[in-house]
């Protein structure tokens, strides 16, 4: 009997048990990659990109290849998604693929794909969530800590964005103590339900005292202050200047990190001199490249879990 179709939109839609399972699976895959060779044989992943990508593209394609499957890369602009309805094109893709990973600008477009899909849809990033990144973040912390993620003190400093929403969701499931230092917090960008769940569990602190938050953290995490799609767009220069002026006191630099033993995290791409000073990127306390590397095994675990659900 075929299992129920399961998607990954964000971790809030998964049970805590399933979130813990997929994290443990990612750790197992990372340390026993040879055991999973061939697990995706005969399966195709379609990767649809409306947003630019380095890590999502490479990790999903490399992951599918190492698992014995095949990945097809589609640039939204060169497909008929630009000409037709999303649900029509999605239904066609499902006739050819075991899985679809979509990296889209708008969550509403992703949800239209989900509503039309007959195979699992993986959210490779949208304006509201970034679940694949959040799993890699937790895998990084789990690998760094002797006793795993539960009880880890993670401080995020930056603009409240899609990365934050997914960190909030996954932290609730994994028992991570999350402190948010977010001077820019647009209510339209906040998943209030996920935030309330984390707060009710006693795992959330919101503050603008960056120094105190960093001093009490095991890990300090930051992200771009402006959506990377618009970072070099001249039409957004005024917004960029305004945000930089407000956010510069919250930059991750040697002064802010002084006296803290916290490891440094960033989901990349990094804009040195903005959210993070360049000397922090490759400092001895940085685990940024480990974090990026862990996207590979996180993506593998997600794909394996979703196909397992169909058996």
């Amino acid at each position: 009997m075929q299992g129920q179709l399961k998607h990954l939109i964000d971790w809030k839609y998964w049970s805590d048990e399933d979130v813990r399972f997929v994290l443990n699976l990612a750790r197992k895959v990372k340390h026993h990659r040879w055991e999973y060779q061939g697990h995706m044989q005969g399966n195709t992943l379609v990767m649809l990109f409306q947003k630019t990508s380095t890590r999502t593209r490479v990790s999903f394609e490399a992951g599918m290849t190492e698992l014995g499957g095949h990945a097809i890369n589609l640039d939204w602009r060169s497909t008929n998604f630009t000409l037709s309805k999303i649900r029509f094109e999605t239904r066609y893709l499902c006739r050819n693929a075991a899985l679809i990973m979509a990296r889209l600008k708008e969550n509403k477009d992703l949800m239209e794909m989900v509503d039309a899909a007959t195979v699992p849809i993986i959210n490779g990033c949208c304006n509201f969530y970034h679940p694949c990144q959040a799993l890699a973040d937790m895998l990084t912390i789990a690998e760094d800590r002797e006793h795993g993620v539960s009880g880890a003190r993670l401080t995020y400093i930056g603009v409240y964005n899609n990365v934050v929403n997914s960190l909030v969701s996954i932290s609730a499931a994994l028992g991570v103590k999350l402190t948010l230092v977010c001077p820019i917090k647009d209510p339209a960008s906040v998943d209030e339900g996920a935030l309330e769940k984390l707060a009710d569990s006693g795992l959330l602190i919101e503050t603008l005292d960056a120094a105190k938050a960093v001093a009490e953290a095991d890990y300090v995490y930051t992200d771009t202050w402006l959506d990377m799609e618009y970072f070099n767009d001249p039409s957004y220069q005024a917004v960029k200047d305004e945000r930089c002026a407000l956010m510069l006191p919250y930059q991750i630099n040697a002064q802010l990190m002084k006296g803290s033993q916290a490891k440094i995290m960033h989901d990349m791409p990094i804009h040195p001199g903005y959210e993070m000073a360049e000397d922090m990127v490759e400092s001895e306390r940085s685990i940024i490249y480990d974090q990026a590397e862990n996207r590979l095994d996180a993506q593998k675990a997600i794909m394996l879990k979703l196909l397992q659900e169909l058996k």
Side-chain angles (χ1 to χ4, degrees):
M1 182 177 178
Q2 188 179 36
Q4 183 177 0
L5 187 62
K6 189 182 187 77
H7 306 286
L8 177 56
I9 301 163
D10 184 58
W11 300 112
K12 66 175 285 185
Y13 299 105
W14 286 33
S15 70
D16 292 354
E17 181 183 3
D18 280 348
V19 175
R20 290 191 291 268
F21 175 89
V22 79
L23 174 59
N24 290 332
L25 178 59
R27 297 192 72 181
K28 186 177 179 183
V29 170
K30 182 177 178 68
H31 294 286
H32 304 277
R33 287 180 178 175
W34 62 271
E35 292 185 15
Y36 294 88
Q37 293 176 3
H39 274 54
M40 285 289 175
Q41 187 173 358
N43 290 303
T44 295
L45 168 72
V46 170
M47 306 183 299
L48 179 62
F49 290 95
Q50 192 179 46
K51 292 169 65 72
T52 60
S53 175
T54 301
R55 277 146 294 280
T56 300
R57 162 74 193 277
V58 171
S59 58
F60 268 107
E61 186 164 348
M64 199 63 175
T65 299
E66 292 181 14
L67 291 170
H70 176 62
I72 297 174
N73 177 53
L74 292 180
D75 184 329
W76 177 280
R77 295 167 298 179
S78 62
T79 71
N80 289 331
F81 275 93
T82 62
L83 303 175
S84 187
K85 290 188 176 293
I86 291 174
R87 73 174 187 274
F88 297 164
E89 295 297 289
T90 300
R91 287 174 179 167
Y92 164 71
L93 289 181
C94 291
R95 302 293 180 97
N96 297 268
L99 296 159
I100 297 173
M101 187 284 297
R103 186 175 171 92
L104 306 184
K105 294 180 179 179
E106 298 291 334
N107 180 260
K108 63 179 179 61
D109 291 338
L110 177 76
M111 297 309 297
E112 186 173 344
M113 290 190 71
V114 168
D115 288 342
T118 55
V119 302
I121 302 291
I122 300 169
N123 182 3
C125 185
C126 67
N127 62 318
F128 215 54
Y129 300 115
H130 200 348
C132 298
Q133 180 63 54
L135 181 61
D137 299 336
M138 294 302 155
L139 175 57
T140 305
I141 294 172
E143 290 288 293
D144 186 65
R145 280 169 55 88
E146 182 179 356
H147 302 296
V149 296
S150 182
R153 299 174 299 173
L154 174 62
T155 289
Y156 173 91
I157 302 178
V159 175
Y160 202 111
N161 59 14
N162 55 351
V163 170
V164 178
N165 280 330
S166 289
L167 283 176
V168 167
S169 298
I170 204 167
S171 292
L174 298 175
V176 173
K177 300 174 182 177
L178 183 62
T179 297
L180 299 178
V181 183
C182 299
I184 297 177
K185 185 181 179 184
D186 180 358
S189 300
V190 178
D191 185 328
E192 292 290 354
L195 197 65
E196 184 177 345
K197 178 182 177 181
L198 189 64
D200 289 345
S201 67
L203 295 171
L204 175 68
I205 295 174
E206 292 190 86
T207 180
L208 292 181
D209 189 342
K212 185 174 186 292
V214 167
E216 297 175 351
D218 299 316
Y219 302 91
V220 174
Y221 190 153
T222 191
D223 189 16
T224 180
W225 295 338
L226 188 69
D227 190 310
M228 60 187 179
E229 301 294 320
Y230 309 118
F231 195 85
N232 294 317
D233 187 338
S235 65
Y236 282 82
Q237 189 62 46
V239 175
K240 182 178 177 181
D241 291 344
E242 181 181 353
R243 288 202 169 191
C244 289
L246 177 61
M247 294 300 301
L248 198 58
Y250 298 90
Q251 181 189 77
I252 304 300
N253 53 37
Q255 180 61 35
L256 181 63
M257 298 299 296
K258 186 177 180 180
S260 170
Q261 300 301 312
K263 304 286 183 68
I264 299 170
M265 301 176 71
H266 192 302
D267 57 323
M268 304 183 84
I270 299 165
H271 302 110
Y274 291 90
E275 69 270 13
M276 179 178 289
E278 186 165 356
D279 63 340
M280 293 287 99
V281 178
E282 294 172 330
S283 75
E284 60 182 15
R285 298 166 61 182
S286 170
I287 53 174
I288 292 171
Y289 291 122
D290 295 333
Q291 188 183 355
E293 177 188 343
N294 282 328
R295 290 292 299 275
L296 175 63
D297 294 302
Q299 322 299 39
K300 286 182 181 181
I302 290 167
M303 292 188 290
L304 288 166
K305 172 63 175 171
L306 288 173
L307 282 192
Q308 179 190 48
E309 291 285 326
L310 296 177
K311 294 181 180 179

